[in-house]
Amino acid sequence: MNRQEFNHINETIHEEKMDNGLQVFLLSKPEMIKTYGIFTTNYGSIDQTFTPLGKEEEVTVPEGIAHFLEHKLFEKEDRDVFQDFTKLGASANAFTSFTKTAYLFSATSHIYENVRTLVDFVQDPYFSEQSVEKEKGIISQEIRMYDDQPDWRGFFGTIGSLYHKHPVKVDIAGTVESIQDISKDDLYMCYETFYHPSNMVLFLAGNFEPEEMMNYVRENQNSKEFPEAPAINRRFPREPVSAFKSENSIQMAVSTPKAYIGLKEQVAELSGEELLRSELLSDMLLDFYFSTSGKYYDELYQSGLVDDSFHFETEWEREFGFTVLGGDSRSPDAFLKRLKKMLLTMKKETITDEDFARMKRKKIGEFMRALNSLEFIANQYTHYHMLGINLFDVLPFIESLKKEDMEEFVENWMQESRMTTFQVKPKE
Amino acid sequence: MKTAKQITEDKRGFRLHVLPTNKYKTVSIVVKWKAPLEKETITKRSLLPSIMQKATERYPTSRQLQGALEDLYGTALSADAAKKGENHVLSFRMEVVNDRYLKEEGSILEKAVRILSEVLYQPEREGEGFSSSIFEREKETLTQRIHSVKDDKMSYANIRLMDHMCEGEAYGVHAQGHLEELEPLTNEQLFSYYKKMIQEDEMDVYVTGDVSKESIEPLFDEFFSRDADLSSHHRTQATDKQVDGSREIIEREEMSQGKLHIGFRTHTFFGEDDYYPLQVFNGIFGGFPSSKLFMNVREKHSLAYYAASRFESHKGLLFVFSGIDPNDYRQAKTIILDQKKAIENGEFSEEEVEESKQQIIHQLKETMEHPYGLIEILYHQQLSGKEIDADELFRRLEQVTSSDVIRLAKKIELDTIYFLTSTEKGDS
């Protein structure tokens, strides 16, 4: 077991890679009552084409299968795992993203039993045809729920018109049609390929003694057998640099139109540290111009082109990256035109030393506030680990950023060919 | 375990509650302003937080104010308005990085507290009004937000259920305000109400973080004291209503998933003896993924992705919500109402009672570990005038028996079944 101290924020991480390849991180916080655990596989909705464990031929599985698998892992032959956590006075949940599937609990008692329950249920699948069929009704309603949410439709519409063929363009849950094709055998095949311990990270944070906890996890893992697993062979379609469509829209029953601009980011060949730098700089720049203190936002808001539903996000992953800005607008065409112009002229703006210092202070403060949350630490530590970055190095990294780094970044950031606009229009 | 070592002291014009803890890297401050819930004032009170957090005398534009907060390591300021039973509460929240984690001269906290007090007491003004451009823009934003409420089908269904169920009761007013009140509202009228509010509203200030009462008290004396007219303060006990025959209402919109929302009267209020069995009842009925609603509507019959219940503590209401296919209305409604009957008939195990208690206790402990969560729990107690420490709270929950739960289930009356469904299909 290794121990890493981060004195600037007063935290210590214990870390060990188990014999079966499982990576374990522990953050002991004896002042907390709660313990939070998250068990994550490096497998999400975009991992649709791959060579299954022990096979030669590549397969492409139905859209939405990673999310479907997440649902079904909770169901065992004789029980629902939610009940196991309930009996232990804990709460459990799970989520699937583009690149990850994660199972988590939060507990204020029976910590060890809860850790065991988490690890054991994820490592012991039980899928049957009957329960797979039953789940199709539930997930169909989940998809329909999102179908009625105009923000969700706007976001996925934007991603969908940025990407030509990359699976990031498909809704994480798939479609009501695509999930009908999922079978029990598909689930086992995905499970065996992607839920091998060597593709997973366990992060526990909260009230426990780290040595004892690590021994507990080690014993648990040593008592189970897993086949040898070679590196996973995943394949993604070759995606052009440019946006799929320069503009696109849908119609739906909304009272106010929604309008977005999406930018496809260039992530190919970026190392973990370069991804982090790009993510931080893009986030700081968006914040500088488009948060409530930003001059672009102020102009858009004062002129009535947007209201306070305006928001932005930027995501930088190994296989893809995007930035999306937008919100409700009663003059969507004028808003998009103005916003696009702002984005394209951003590199001509001057950032003063004072501006840059403020941007850094804001980012540092934001990070410190987030560290109050065990969930944030565990989820983000895992996320960054999978990109080859240590979460607790992020703070010194922000401190080391220079204005020149930002100037260099902004110079090549926004390009019209990588942009799309997307509107959710009211039905006529 | 104690809820927290809460130190409460009557100050000039407000109550100061200090909760020292070493769990956080930040200091959180919440200022609560409370008045009775009234149709005449709700629209003004809904508009005030967004105007007040935009500008102050010292920082007369939104950009300047936000910029000043960013300089203080991105100190987060937010404000909102909410119904709590038949009270209306404005909350101003601020989170500041604790000075001990910063390499700064002087206290960030002191500067931040000063800004917060200016937001409350020294808004930017023009004559006998707020800044007219801010007033106009925020009025417009609120108008827009009220118009767009239909776009979020889940909250729209909630609002419609309340419209039908609490028609003619104070609780039936919309938390966001009403267009017919907003449209004729002038800047001067709003400002004159603001002056009355800061004179007459009951004011509580909560501070939590790694601070001592002695160190921060002078700061709050200096910046928050007011000459308030406290004579009008009294506890608003919400009116209860016996149900005179339940109602069933179906409305249609263009949407793909139907929203089935059901309202009950619990005749049970925060702090009463029956409040404990009410919580346990809700846990067995629909509060958790192990509850009867989730297990039957979702897991057994595959009708929904979500099916849950939640109660309002100060008005004595309980709600069920589920998103279902429009064609499944009758079946889902029957299953939901049957679950309540089953509890009335004692069709649940001792184990379910115990698990429900443990889930509630876990949830409370978890909420208490979040700075704003803890403050909300304590404020609920302040509102009801019944201060209970955590140990006592848990003890009272532990004492709840199966027969208490049955009695509570029988006490709860069905009031209104509301179904918002597709214009195209569905039986009714």
Side-chain angles (χ1 to χ4, degrees):
Chain A
M1 183 169 79
N2 298 313
R3 179 190 161 99
Q4 274 186 293
E5 290 193 29
F6 300 88
N7 293 323
H8 56 296
I9 45 169
N10 208 6
E11 304 286 4
T12 303
I13 290 279
H14 291 83
E15 173 268 333
E16 186 173 321
K17 192 158 201 159
M18 301 293 154
D19 290 342
N20 62 23
L22 175 67
Q23 180 69 59
V24 182
F25 295 105
L26 306 178
L27 178 71
S28 166
K29 303 269 276 182
E31 70 277 18
M32 303 299 274
I33 297 161
K34 182 168 87 174
T35 296
Y36 173 78
I38 182 161
F39 195 14
T40 309
T41 165
N42 189 357
Y43 166 56
S45 68
I46 63 165
D47 298 301
Q48 263 188 274
T49 303
F50 58 92
T51 310
L53 181 72
K55 297 276 169 33
E56 300 289 318
E57 299 218 351
E58 187 180 276
V59 297
T60 295
V61 290
E63 292 163 357
I65 198 165
H67 170 260
F68 202 104
L69 205 171
E70 173 227 299
H71 271 237
K72 284 297 28 149
L73 214 43
F74 280 94
E75 195 167 317
K76 302 303 174 199
E77 188 170 6
D78 54 345
R79 69 195 198 285
D80 191 306
V81 176
F82 276 121
Q83 314 296 334
D84 296 355
F85 285 105
T86 297
K87 286 186 182 26
L88 295 166
S91 55
N93 213 334
F95 62 83
T96 307
S97 70
F98 292 126
T99 54
K100 290 185 248 322
T101 314
Y103 302 84
L104 54 96
F105 74 86
S106 139
T108 44
S109 60
H110 306 95
I111 305 306
Y112 285 90
E113 289 99 315
N114 278 303
V115 170
R116 190 183 62 218
T117 304
L118 175 69
V119 174
D120 286 356
F121 102 79
V122 174
Q123 293 185 329
D124 181 27
Y126 173 81
F127 308 128
S128 72
E129 285 303 348
Q130 192 200 353
S131 83
V132 166
E133 286 314 306
K134 188 202 80 177
E135 205 66 23
K136 289 175 182 172
I138 297 172
I139 296 179
S140 295
Q141 286 310 319
E142 184 178 2
I143 294 169
R144 295 241 184 272
M145 176 180 82
Y146 287 112
D147 279 349
D148 280 335
Q149 294 176 5
D151 291 321
W152 183 262
R153 297 282 296 277
F155 175 76
F156 265 96
T158 310
I159 306 299
S161 52
L162 275 180
Y163 282 87
H164 298 248
K165 41 197 163 178
H166 193 282
V168 69
K169 69 184 286 157
V170 183
D171 197 321
I172 291 166
T175 64
V176 172
E177 294 71 40
S178 76
I179 62 167
Q180 303 308 323
D181 296 334
I182 293 173
S183 71
K184 168 188 100 169
D185 295 337
D186 292 336
L187 293 183
Y188 275 114
M189 177 178 72
C190 292
Y191 180 87
E192 278 153 18
T193 308
F194 293 106
Y195 282 68
H196 191 277
S198 58
N199 193 42
M200 298 188 71
V201 173
L202 175 67
F203 196 111
L204 304 170
N207 193 338
F208 51 78
E209 203 282 308
E211 302 267 341
E212 202 178 314
M213 183 59 84
M214 196 64 94
N215 291 340
Y216 187 80
V217 173
R218 193 184 308 112
E219 269 174 40
N220 175 288
Q221 289 303 289
N222 287 345
S223 71
K224 298 175 187 177
E225 297 215 14
F226 294 91
E228 285 292 312
I232 302 168
N233 176 31
R234 322 171 192 228
R235 200 169 58 79
F236 299 95
R238 185 182 290 273
E239 176 70 30
V241 172
S242 63
F244 173 42
K245 290 181 175 166
S246 62
E247 56 175 79
N248 201 357
S249 66
I250 53 164
Q251 287 203 334
M252 116 180 244
V254 288
S255 46
T256 314
K258 290 173 186 294
Y260 306 86
I261 289 187
L263 173 76
K264 193 196 276 188
E265 302 292 3
Q266 294 177 283
V267 294
E269 318 284 308
L270 292 188
S271 68
E273 193 174 301
E274 285 162 337
L275 279 173
L276 175 65
R277 185 200 318 276
S278 305
E279 181 190 275
L280 287 170
L281 290 171
S282 57
D283 214 33
M284 285 162 77
L285 281 160
L286 290 169
D287 227 61
F288 181 66
Y289 291 114
F290 292 106
S291 71
T292 44
S293 68
K295 74 169 189 179
Y296 287 162
Y297 174 76
D298 196 55
E299 190 188 320
L300 293 168
Y301 188 76
Q302 296 306 337
S303 60
L305 288 173
V306 285
D307 61 21
D308 57 0
S309 65
F310 181 83
H311 58 280
F312 52 82
E313 66 178 279
T314 184
E315 194 164 332
W316 295 73
E317 287 275 0
R318 272 219 184 86
E319 295 295 334
F320 64 89
F322 54 77
T323 295
V324 178
L325 308 90
D328 291 3
S329 175
R330 279 186 295 173
S331 328
D333 292 318
F335 161 61
L336 290 174
K337 199 173 158 204
R338 189 75 202 88
L339 178 60
K340 193 175 220 174
K341 194 159 174 235
M342 288 170 168
L343 294 172
L344 291 171
T345 52
M346 190 187 274
K347 62 181 170 196
K348 296 188 185 130
E349 300 277 354
T350 311
I351 292 169
T352 64
D353 289 338
E354 200 188 353
D355 291 336
F356 188 69
R358 176 184 281 176
M359 289 158 98
K360 272 169 77 168
R361 275 201 296 272
K362 183 175 184 185
K363 197 80 201 155
I364 290 167
E366 202 175 85
F367 191 79
M368 297 300 290
R369 285 206 307 273
L371 291 182
N372 278 345
S373 156
L374 296 181
E375 289 85 347
F376 170 84
I377 296 176
N379 298 0
Q380 285 302 105
Y381 200 101
T382 303
H383 168 71
Y384 280 130
H385 173 77
M386 288 178 175
L387 293 176
I389 304 163
N390 188 315
L391 174 73
F392 292 150
D393 289 337
V394 172
L395 201 56
F397 191 82
I398 301 170
E399 278 162 355
S400 76
L401 286 173
K402 296 196 170 47
K403 200 176 80 168
E404 295 73 52
D405 298 327
M406 184 167 275
E407 286 162 351
E408 190 192 319
F409 176 80
V410 79
E411 191 57 36
N412 301 306
W413 189 24
M414 295 286 169
Q415 282 166 353
E416 197 165 6
S417 63
R418 288 188 283 113
M419 279 183 188
T420 190
T421 63
F422 191 83
Q423 295 191 33
V424 180
K425 296 180 172 173
K427 286 199 169 166
E428 279 144 25
Chain B
M1 190 201 79
K2 291 270 177 191
T3 313
K5 301 177 292 293
Q6 181 182 205
I7 308 162
T8 302
E9 200 167 302
D10 284 325
K11 297 300 206 176
R12 193 153 68 84
F14 68 99
R15 264 184 303 265
L16 178 64
H17 311 259
V18 185
L19 309 143
T21 168
N22 63 352
K23 288 180 185 176
Y24 317 123
K25 293 187 166 63
T26 56
V27 179
S28 304
I29 304 161
V30 180
V31 181
K32 300 275 191 185
W33 299 80
K34 187 192 88 178
L37 190 60
E38 288 162 352
K39 179 112 203 274
E40 296 70 46
T41 54
I42 187 86
T43 304
K44 299 187 189 89
R45 295 180 66 88
S46 160
L47 182 54
L48 276 172
S50 52
I51 291 181
M52 289 167 68
Q53 63 177 318
K54 286 289 179 309
T56 65
E57 268 175 31
R58 193 153 58 107
Y59 302 107
T61 68
S62 175
R63 286 193 65 202
Q64 285 169 308
L65 176 59
Q66 289 300 325
L69 291 166
E70 287 178 8
D71 271 335
L72 301 178
Y73 284 84
T75 289
L77 170 71
S78 64
D80 63 41
K83 297 195 279 187
K84 286 259 187 279
E86 288 178 359
N87 297 298
H88 191 260
V89 178
L90 301 192
S91 302
F92 292 83
R93 302 187 174 85
M94 185 174 245
E95 196 180 3
V96 193
V97 178
N98 196 311
D99 286 313
R100 72 184 55 203
Y101 292 101
L102 298 172
K103 302 160 192 158
E104 283 280 322
E105 283 185 32
S107 166
I108 295 290
L109 179 66
E110 187 178 331
K111 291 175 188 159
V113 169
R114 180 168 167 207
I115 293 180
L116 180 57
S117 83
E118 290 169 351
V119 164
L120 299 172
Y121 295 132
Q122 287 149 42
E124 166 65 0
R125 47 191 287 192
E126 283 173 29
E128 280 305 297
F130 294 100
S131 147
S132 58
S133 60
I134 292 177
F135 171 81
E136 290 303 333
R137 189 64 190 90
E138 293 310 313
K139 183 176 165 181
E140 162 109 18
T141 297
L142 181 58
T143 306
Q144 189 57 35
R145 204 179 306 141
I146 297 174
H147 273 303
S148 308
V149 75
K150 262 191 182 177
D151 294 353
D152 179 347
K153 296 291 182 282
M154 209 187 293
S155 16
Y156 181 63
N158 278 340
I159 290 175
R160 292 301 294 155
L161 170 62
M162 281 299 95
D163 284 346
H164 293 295
M165 189 169 161
C166 296
E167 201 182 346
E169 295 175 76
Y171 196 76
V173 305
H174 294 176
Q176 290 194 314
H178 297 259
L179 285 177
E180 65 271 21
E181 307 271 337
L182 184 58
E183 207 197 347
L185 182 67
T186 66
N187 193 359
E188 288 69 27
Q189 287 166 343
L190 184 67
F191 194 75
S192 132
Y193 178 76
Y194 158 78
K195 287 200 293 191
K196 185 170 141 67
M197 183 193 92
I198 58 167
Q199 273 283 306
E200 295 179 7
D201 262 33
E202 198 168 334
M203 179 183 178
D204 285 275
V205 179
Y206 291 85
V207 185
T208 183
D210 201 353
V211 292
S212 68
K213 172 170 170 280
E214 293 68 33
S215 66
I216 58 154
E217 206 174 4
L219 208 56
F220 287 85
D221 280 332
E222 181 183 350
F223 290 120
F224 283 74
S225 295
R226 59 171 183 163
D227 291 314
D229 171 15
L230 303 174
S231 58
S232 62
H233 288 181
H234 56 276
R235 193 148 281 125
T236 319
Q237 175 64 49
T239 50
D240 197 10
K241 197 177 137 191
Q242 296 302 317
V243 182
D244 185 20
S246 65
R247 288 185 299 173
E248 190 165 348
I249 292 152
I250 295 174
E251 295 181 331
R252 293 176 188 276
E253 289 288 332
E254 202 168 307
M255 54 202 280
S256 63
Q257 183 179 67
K259 303 289 179 193
L260 174 54
H261 290 207
I262 304 179
F264 299 85
R265 305 254 175 192
T266 65
H267 309 298
T268 304
F269 300 90
F270 189 94
E272 291 179 1
D273 288 346
D274 269 356
Y275 188 69
Y276 301 94
L278 170 64
Q279 293 178 72
V280 179
F281 164 83
N282 185 58
I284 297 171
F285 184 47
F288 303 106
S290 51
S291 305
K292 288 192 183 298
L293 291 180
F294 190 91
M295 291 312 288
N296 286 284
V297 180
R298 173 171 154 147
E299 293 301 316
K300 193 163 163 199
H301 293 280
S302 280
L303 295 180
Y305 171 61
Y306 65 91
S309 66
R310 148 180 101 64
F311 55 93
E312 209 288 343
S313 309
H314 298 281
K315 175 64 185 170
L317 304 177
L318 183 131
F319 308 107
V320 168
F321 349 72
S322 188
I324 56 171
D325 187 284
N327 295 314
D328 293 333
Y329 172 59
R330 281 165 202 275
Q331 195 192 356
K333 179 181 72 179
T334 307
I335 294 169
I336 290 168
L337 296 177
D338 282 350
Q339 302 315 306
K340 179 172 176 287
K341 276 192 216 103
I343 302 179
E344 289 175 32
N345 296 335
E347 292 163 28
F348 56 90
S349 63
E350 281 303 320
E351 220 180 344
E352 280 176 272
V353 177
E354 280 317 304
E355 286 168 9
S356 171
K357 290 179 191 173
Q358 294 315 312
Q359 290 279 309
I360 296 160
I361 291 172
H362 164 66
Q363 208 173 46
L364 278 167
K365 285 183 178 172
E366 196 174 12
T367 308
M368 286 171 189
E369 210 150 63
H370 186 279
Y372 291 149
L374 173 63
I375 290 170
E376 284 307 313
I377 288 180
L378 294 172
Y379 190 62
H380 267 289
Q381 299 189 359
Q382 180 69 44
L383 277 180
S384 69
K386 288 173 183 133
E387 277 188 52
I388 311 155
D389 76 21
D391 290 331
E392 173 69 5
L393 208 66
F394 301 154
R395 200 178 57 79
R396 298 289 300 267
L397 277 167
E398 297 276 10
Q399 283 171 348
V400 173
T401 64
S402 296
S403 56
D404 292 332
V405 173
I406 293 172
R407 184 169 48 77
L408 230 292
K410 289 178 178 162
K411 187 177 168 187
I412 296 172
E413 285 185 291
L414 173 65
D415 189 302
T416 303
I417 300 169
Y418 177 79
F419 188 46
L420 181 66
T421 188
S422 156
T423 43
E424 282 157 26
K425 54 175 183 173
D427 59 352
S428 51

